[in-house]
C-alpha cells in the first residue's frame, strides 16, 4: 500500500519559487529480448516487442550456439565462429564438428550433442578436440548452458538439466513445452524456440516459475522463419530457414520517458512526476516514495506520480485475469528501468532547482469524445491546462522556460499493423516533442487527466499530438495567471465498500464461461473466478477498495489527482466544488487498479462500470453512489 503521510505543510506566500525539471529515458534495454505491451487483452497471442534485423546470409547450418561475444555454427561438419559486434566480421573455421546436431557454450568451453546421443565438450583454443563426457537421450534437439548447468530439450516436451560441477553427468527432468527446436540462455533465463515459431522464456532458478511466451510470428513485425537462436553479449540472435542471420531488437519509437518537476517554496517542496507507462500499482509507487523520502526527506504526500496511460509501453502492473504473458511485469524492466528512472528524475529535478515564476493558462481541445456515454457528449472535460515555468528574470544562461500540460484522452493508437507491436509514448510523446521544437525548450511534462471514458476523436497519434501541441502553444501566447503563495500537499484514502460475490455465484459464473477456448472474454472470466475462489479459500477477499485522492496546492493553483482510471465526471465534480479557483484534475495517479466510474456507467453496465472490473481482478464493481461518496469526502476535507 502507499505510504500515506498527511501533512498540510504550508509555506509563506511569495512571488517566486525554486523550480527544477528533469527527464530520463525509460526505454527497455535490448538485453530483455522481448516484452509485452500493456493496455489490451487482445490479440490473445500477445503484443510482443521483438523484431528481427537482417545481418546477412550464412552457410547452411545444423546447429548454433554462443560463447561470450562469439556465435558458433555447425556447417557441413565444420565448426565456424564470428563476432557479430564487429562490423563486416566474417565466419572463420574453428575446427571439425562431425555428426553434431546441437551446440552451446559456457566458461570457455563448447558443449555438443551428437546424433547418437553422446554429450561432448571441447576447450575453445587453437585446436578443437571434442571428448565425450556423458550421454543424453537421442531425442534431444536443443542444448543450452548457463550458471554451470546444461539444459537439453526434445520435440516431445521433455527438458533436462545437468550440473556441470558434479563429477558425472546426471540429468534431471524439468517442466517443459513441446516442439523445442532451439535453446539458449543468459545468466538467469532459458529461451526456447519451438517448431511453430514461438519463443518462450523460463527461469529455472525461480520458485514456481513457468514458461512464458515472449514472441511469435505475428505476420506484422515478425515474418521470419527462425530455426536457431543464441544469446550472446546481452542480445538474441537467430538464423532463419533460408540461412539469414538476424539480431533481435525491441521495436520502438524510442520516446518513452520519465519526467519530473520539483517546486519549492520556503521549506516545502513538491515533486510532480509524469511517466510513459499504462499504469502502476500502489505497492510499487509506495516503494518508490519510501526511497525518495529516505534520500530527500520528501514525504509520500508531496510526490505526485502520474501515468500517461499509453497502451504501447511494456507491462508494468499485475493483470491477473489476462493471458500469462500479460499478467506480471518483467521484474528487470520494472525495477531496473522504471524505478531507477523515477528516482533519477526526482533527484535531478531537485538538484537543478533555481528561482523561477509560475503561470497558469487554460485552453480547450477537441481531441477526444466520451466513448461509452455517447448520448452525453457534454460529459467530456476538454480543458488543456498549461503551467509555464519562467526562469528569464533569474537565469539568462539556460533555457528561459519549461512547461507542464494536462488534458484527458486515452493514448490508444494504433491497434493495427506494425504500430500495434511498437513501443511508443503515443500522442503525449508527439505533443511534448512538438511543443519543445516549436518553443525552443528542452523539457515538457505531460499529465493525463480523467480519461477513463475518453477516447481520441481522430485516427493516429500524430494528428492528436499535433492538435494538442497547437493548443498548448496557443495558451502560451495569451496572458497567463501568475501563481503566488504557499505550497501544501495531502494524500487521502477513501475506502469504498464493495460486496464480493458469494462462492456459489462465482462457481456458477465459472460454469457459464468454461469450455470456451479461444474466447478472450470467457477465458478472462474463468481466470477471475479462479482468483476470487482463491481469495475466499485464503480468507483474503477485500470488502472495500481504496481510492487515493492526491491534492497539491501551489499558491492559487490546485492539482487534484485520482487513483484508478477516473472518468471525466470526476474532473467536473472537483472543479464545481471550487468554481472560483484554478483547478486541474488528473487520473492515473499513484495507482491504476481499476476504473473509477460514475453512477451512469454502473447503471448502464458499460465497460467502465462493469466488465473492466473483471479485467482488473476486482471483487466487484463499485456501488452506484461511489461518485457521491468521493465528492462528499473531498468537499468535507477542504484540501
Amino acid at each position: 500500500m502507499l505510504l500515506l503521510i498527511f501533512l498540510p505543510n504550508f509555506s509563506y506566500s511569495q512571488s517566486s519559487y525554486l523550480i527544477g525539471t528533469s527527464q530520463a529515458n525509460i526505454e527497455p534495454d535490448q538485453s530483455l529480448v522481448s516484452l509485452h505491451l500493456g493496455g489490451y487483452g487482445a490479440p490473445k497471442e500477445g503484443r510482443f516487442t521483438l523484431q528481427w534485423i537482417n545481418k546477412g546470409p550464412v552457410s547452411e547450418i545444423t546447429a548454433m550456439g554462443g560463447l561470450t561475444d562469439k556465435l558458433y555454427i555447425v556447417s557441413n561438419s565444420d565448426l565456424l565462429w564470428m563476432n557479430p559486434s564487429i562490423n563486416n566480421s566474417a565466419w572463420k573455421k574453428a575446427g571439425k564438428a562431425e555428426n553434431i546436431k546441437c551446440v552451446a557454450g559456457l566458461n570457455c568451453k563448447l558443449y555438443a550433442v551428437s546424433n547418437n546421443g553422446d554429450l561432448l565438450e571441447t576447450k575453445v583454443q587453437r585446436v578443437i578436440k571434442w571428448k565425450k563426457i556423458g550421454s543424453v537421450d537421442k531425442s534431444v534437439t536443443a542444448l543450452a548452458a548457463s550458471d554451470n548447468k546444461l539444459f537439453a530439450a526434445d520435440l516431445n516436451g521433455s527438458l533436462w538439466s545437468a550440473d556441470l560441477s558434479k563429477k558425472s553427468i546426471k540429468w534431471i527432468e524439468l517442466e517443459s513445452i513441446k516442439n523445442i527446436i532451439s535453446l539458449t540462455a543468459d545468466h538467469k533465463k532459458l529461451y526456447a524456440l519451438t517448431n511453430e515459431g514461438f519463443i518462450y522464456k523460463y527461469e529455472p532458478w525461480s520458485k514456481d516459475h513457468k514458461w512464458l511466451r515472449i514472441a511469435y510470428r505475428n505476420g506484422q513485425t515478425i515474418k521470419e522463419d527462425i530455426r536457431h537462436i543464441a544469446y550472446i553479449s546481452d542480445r538474441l540472435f537467430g538464423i532463419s530457414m533460408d540461412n539469414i542471420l538476424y539480431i533481435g531488437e525491441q521495436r520502438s519509437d524510442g520516446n518513452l520517458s520519465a519526467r519530473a518537476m520539483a517546486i519549492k517554496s520556503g521549506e516545502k517542496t513538491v515533486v510532480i512526476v509524469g511517466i510513459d507507462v499504462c499504469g502502476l500499482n500502489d505497492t510499487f509507487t509506495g516503494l518508490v516514495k519510501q526511497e525518495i523520502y529516505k534520500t530527500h526527506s520528501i514525504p509520500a504526500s508531496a510526490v505526485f506520480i502520474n501515468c500517461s496511460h499509453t497502451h504501447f509501453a511494456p507491462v508494468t502492473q499485475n493483470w491477473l485475469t489476462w493471458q500469462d504473458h500479460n499478467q506480471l511485469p518483467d521484474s528487470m524492466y520494472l525495477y531496473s528501468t522504471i524505478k531507477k528512472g523515477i528516482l533519477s528524475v526526482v533527484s535531478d529535478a531537485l538538484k537543478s532547482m533555481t528561482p523561477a515564476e509560475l503561470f497558469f493558462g487554460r485552453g480547450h481541445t477537441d481531441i477526444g469524445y466520451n466513448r461509452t456515454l455517447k448520448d452525453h457528449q457534454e460529459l467530456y472535460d476538454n480543458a488543456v491546462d498549461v503551467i509555464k515555468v519562467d526562469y528569464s528574470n533569474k537565469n539568462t544562461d539556460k533555457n528561459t522556460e519549461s512547461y507542464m500540460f494536462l488534458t484527458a484522452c486515452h493514448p490508444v493508437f494504433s491497434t493495427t499493423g506494425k504500430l500495434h507491436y511498437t513501443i511508443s509514448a503515443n500522442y503525449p510523446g508527439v505533443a511534448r516533442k512538438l511543443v519543445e521544437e516549436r518553443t525552443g525548450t528542452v523539457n515538457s511534462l505531460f499529465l493525463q487527466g480523467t480519461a477513463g471514458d475518453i477516447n481520441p476523436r481522430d485516427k493516429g497519434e500524430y494528428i492528436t499530438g499535433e492538435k494538442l501541441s497547437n493548443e498548448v502553444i496557443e495558451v502560451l501566447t495569451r496572458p497567463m495567471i501568475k501563481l503566488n503563495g504557499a505550497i501544501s500537499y495531502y494524500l487521502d484514502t477513501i475506502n469504498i465498500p464493495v460486496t464480493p460475490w458469494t462462492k456459489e455465484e462465482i462457481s456458477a459464473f465459472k460454469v457459464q464461461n468454461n469450455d470456451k477456448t479461444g474466447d478472450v472474454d470467457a477465458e478472462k472470466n474463468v481466470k477471475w473466478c479462479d482468483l476470487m475462489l482463491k481469495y475466499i479459500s485464503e480468507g483474503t477477499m477485500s470488502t472495500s477498495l481504496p481510492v487515493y485522492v492526491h491534492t497539491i496546492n501551489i499558491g492559487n493553483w490546485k492539482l487534484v489527482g485520482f487513483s484508478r482510471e477516473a472518468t471525466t465526471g470526476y474532473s467536473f465534480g472537483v472543479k464545481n466544488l471550487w468554481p472560483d479557483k484554478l483547478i486541474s484534475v488528473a487520473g492515473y495517479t499513484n495507482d491504476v487498479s481499476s476504473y473509477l466510474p460514475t453512477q451512469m456507467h454502473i447503471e448502464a453496465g458499460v465497460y467502465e462500470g462493469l466488465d473492466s472490473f473483471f479485467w482488473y481482478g476486482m471483487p466487484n464493481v463499485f456501488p452506484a453512489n461511489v461518485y457521491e461518496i468521493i465528492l462528499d469526502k473531498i468537499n468535507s476535507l477542504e484540501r
Side-chain angles (χ1 to χ4, degrees):
M1 301 297 289
L2 287 170
L3 176 65
L4 304 182
I5 302 177
F6 307 97
L7 298 174
N9 286 330
F10 291 101
S11 64
Y12 294 107
S13 175
Q14 59 184 52
S15 61
S16 66
Y17 302 89
L18 293 176
I19 303 174
T21 62
S22 178
Q23 61 177 283
N25 182 296
I26 56 166
E27 289 285 317
D29 190 279
Q30 295 292 353
S31 67
L32 298 179
V33 178
S34 183
L35 298 175
H36 193 272
L37 299 180
Y40 294 110
K44 178 184 175 181
E45 294 78 13
R47 298 166 58 229
F48 300 106
T49 59
L50 180 68
Q51 64 179 1
W52 293 106
I53 306 301
N54 190 320
K55 299 291 284 186
V58 298
S59 302
E60 186 172 344
I61 75 168
T62 56
M64 177 187 185
L67 179 61
T68 58
D69 58 351
K70 295 180 177 64
L71 288 175
Y72 288 85
I73 62 173
V74 177
S75 177
N76 298 318
S77 297
D78 287 328
L79 180 68
L80 308 178
W81 69 271
M82 65 99 74
N83 186 335
S85 65
I86 299 176
N87 290 334
N88 302 316
S89 178
W91 291 96
K92 300 177 182 179
K93 185 175 177 178
K96 300 299 291 183
E98 296 174 341
N99 204 30
I100 285 177
K101 60 179 176 178
C102 44
V103 63
L106 180 69
N107 298 334
C108 300
K109 292 181 179 181
L110 288 177
Y111 297 87
V113 174
S114 69
N115 288 325
N116 59 7
D118 290 337
L119 179 64
L120 310 172
E121 77 169 16
T122 179
K123 292 181 179 179
V124 178
Q125 51 192 13
R126 194 159 54 106
V127 178
I128 296 295
K129 292 183 178 180
W130 294 103
K131 69 175 182 178
K132 182 178 177 179
I133 60 171
S135 299
V136 68
D137 196 285
K138 291 183 180 180
S139 65
V140 164
T141 55
L143 188 70
S146 176
D147 196 32
N148 222 29
K149 285 186 171 59
L150 282 178
F151 299 89
D154 67 13
L155 293 172
N156 300 318
S158 295
L159 174 71
W160 300 272
S161 73
D163 190 339
L164 291 171
S165 66
K166 304 296 183 182
K167 291 183 178 180
S168 60
I169 297 295
K170 292 184 179 180
W171 294 100
I172 300 172
E173 193 158 8
L174 304 175
E175 177 189 353
S176 186
I177 50 177
K178 289 186 177 181
N179 300 325
I180 293 177
I181 59 173
S182 186
L183 272 179
T184 189
D186 61 16
H187 299 298
K188 295 184 178 180
K189 302 181 186 73
L190 277 177
Y191 299 96
L193 170 67
T194 71
N195 198 40
E196 302 87 356
F198 295 107
I199 299 178
Y200 293 84
K201 71 177 180 181
Y202 179 66
E203 298 182 46
W205 299 276
S206 297
K207 185 179 179 182
D208 300 326
H209 193 75
K210 56 186 176 182
W211 287 93
L212 292 176
R213 184 185 302 167
I214 62 169
Y216 67 101
R217 288 198 298 270
N218 56 41
Q220 296 292 334
T221 55
I222 298 182
K223 298 180 181 179
E224 297 81 6
D225 187 5
I226 303 296
R227 309 308 289 171
H228 306 272
I229 57 174
Y231 187 97
I232 62 166
S233 302
D234 293 331
R235 299 296 294 271
L236 186 69
F237 291 84
I239 293 179
S240 63
M241 174 70 81
D242 54 352
N243 300 310
I244 303 295
L245 174 66
Y246 294 89
I247 185 171
E249 181 178 280
Q250 306 224 32
R251 181 178 176 84
S252 178
D253 285 345
N255 58 0
L256 294 188
S257 66
R259 298 171 182 236
M261 180 178 290
I263 306 171
K264 183 176 183 179
S265 176
E267 298 301 316
K268 308 300 180 277
T269 302
V270 294
V271 184
I272 300 170
V273 176
I275 185 164
D276 291 323
V277 295
C278 191
L280 296 169
N281 293 122
D282 55 0
T283 50
F284 176 78
T285 58
L287 288 173
V288 172
K289 292 187 179 195
Q290 286 179 19
E291 291 207 22
I292 293 171
Y293 180 72
K294 289 177 183 178
T295 305
H296 304 288
S297 299
I298 297 176
S301 50
V303 181
F304 188 102
I305 300 177
N306 178 267
C307 302
S308 72
H309 197 53
T310 175
H311 284 42
F312 298 86
V315 172
T316 49
Q317 58 192 126
N318 302 328
W319 299 95
L320 298 180
T321 66
W322 295 36
Q323 298 90 349
D324 288 347
H325 47 260
N326 211 356
Q327 287 187 15
L328 296 172
D330 183 278
S331 59
M332 288 293 291
Y333 181 65
L334 185 63
Y335 291 99
S336 292
T337 303
I338 299 300
K339 183 181 177 184
K340 286 183 178 178
I342 296 174
L343 295 175
S344 171
V345 295
V346 169
S347 179
D348 290 347
L350 291 168
K351 290 176 183 176
S352 68
M353 288 192 299
T354 56
E357 295 179 329
L358 285 174
F359 296 86
F360 174 91
R362 172 168 290 163
H364 295 87
T365 182
D366 65 346
I367 64 171
Y369 71 99
N370 198 302
R371 67 187 187 187
T372 48
L373 303 177
K374 296 181 179 179
D375 293 333
H376 294 277
Q377 287 306 305
E378 75 279 3
L379 294 179
Y380 165 40
D381 188 348
N382 63 355
V384 178
D385 290 354
V386 181
I387 296 293
K388 180 176 75 172
V389 182
D390 187 349
Y391 300 100
S392 58
N393 293 333
K394 305 292 182 181
N395 241 316
T396 58
D397 61 343
K398 63 177 290 183
N399 294 293
T400 58
E401 293 181 357
S402 59
Y403 313 113
M404 177 165 56
F405 56 97
L406 178 153
T407 199
C409 185
H410 257 74
V412 290
F413 307 103
S414 166
T415 58
T416 59
K418 292 183 178 180
L419 292 176
H420 199 44
Y421 306 89
T422 303
I423 298 170
S424 169
N426 216 257
Y427 81 81
V430 174
R432 288 191 309 244
K433 184 174 185 289
L434 292 175
V435 167
E436 291 165 4
E437 288 176 350
R438 294 171 182 178
T439 60
T441 56
V442 295
N443 196 32
S444 60
L445 194 156
F446 170 84
L447 297 181
Q448 184 59 265
T450 53
D453 52 354
I454 306 301
N455 261 20
R457 183 180 301 277
D458 299 295
K459 292 183 178 180
E461 65 258 43
Y462 295 100
I463 297 174
T464 298
E466 172 91 20
K467 281 187 172 182
L468 179 56
S469 65
N470 288 344
E471 185 58 27
V472 170
I473 292 170
E474 178 64 25
V475 171
L476 293 171
T477 65
R478 300 195 294 262
M480 302 181 75
I481 300 171
K482 186 176 181 180
L483 302 186
N484 293 289
I487 289 177
S488 63
Y489 39 82
Y490 311 86
L491 182 51
D492 297 298
T493 301
I494 304 174
N495 286 305
I496 308 299
V498 295
T499 302
W501 290 25
T502 65
K503 185 175 182 180
E504 292 71 26
E505 289 173 326
I506 296 169
S507 298
F509 188 55
K510 182 175 180 179
V511 170
Q512 293 174 22
N513 287 275
N514 265 332
D515 303 321
K516 294 183 179 180
T517 303
D519 184 329
V520 172
D521 281 324
E523 291 179 358
K524 168 259 301 178
N525 290 338
V526 170
K527 289 187 178 75
W528 179 86
C529 291
D530 291 339
L531 186 63
M532 295 304 112
L533 291 172
K534 175 176 177 285
Y535 291 158
I536 289 175
S537 67
E538 294 174 344
T540 56
M541 180 69 80
S542 296
T543 56
S544 66
L545 299 178
V547 174
Y548 306 121
V549 181
H550 200 160
T551 306
I552 290 178
N553 297 297
I554 301 174
N556 41 330
W557 175 56
K558 182 186 296 290
L559 173 62
V560 177
F562 285 98
S563 64
R564 304 182 184 257
E565 295 200 48
T567 51
T568 199
Y570 286 88
S571 183
F572 288 128
V574 170
K575 290 176 180 178
N576 288 338
L577 293 177
W578 293 280
D580 300 325
K581 290 188 176 182
L582 306 176
I583 300 178
S584 301
V585 186
Y588 307 91
T589 301
N590 299 314
D591 173 66
V592 183
S593 52
S594 80
Y595 276 80
L596 187 57
T598 65
Q599 184 171 349
M600 294 179 70
H601 301 99
I602 296 168
E603 292 183 346
V606 294
Y607 177 74
E608 295 84 356
L610 181 59
D611 197 43
S612 64
F613 283 76
F614 297 93
W615 284 107
Y616 270 105
M618 294 291 103
N620 204 344
V621 302
F622 284 121
N625 65 337
V626 58
Y627 179 83
E628 286 73 20
I629 293 173
I630 292 173
L631 269 293
D632 287 347
K633 185 65 174 180
I634 292 173
N635 187 40
S636 66
L637 290 171
E638 295 184 346
R639 301 302 199 192

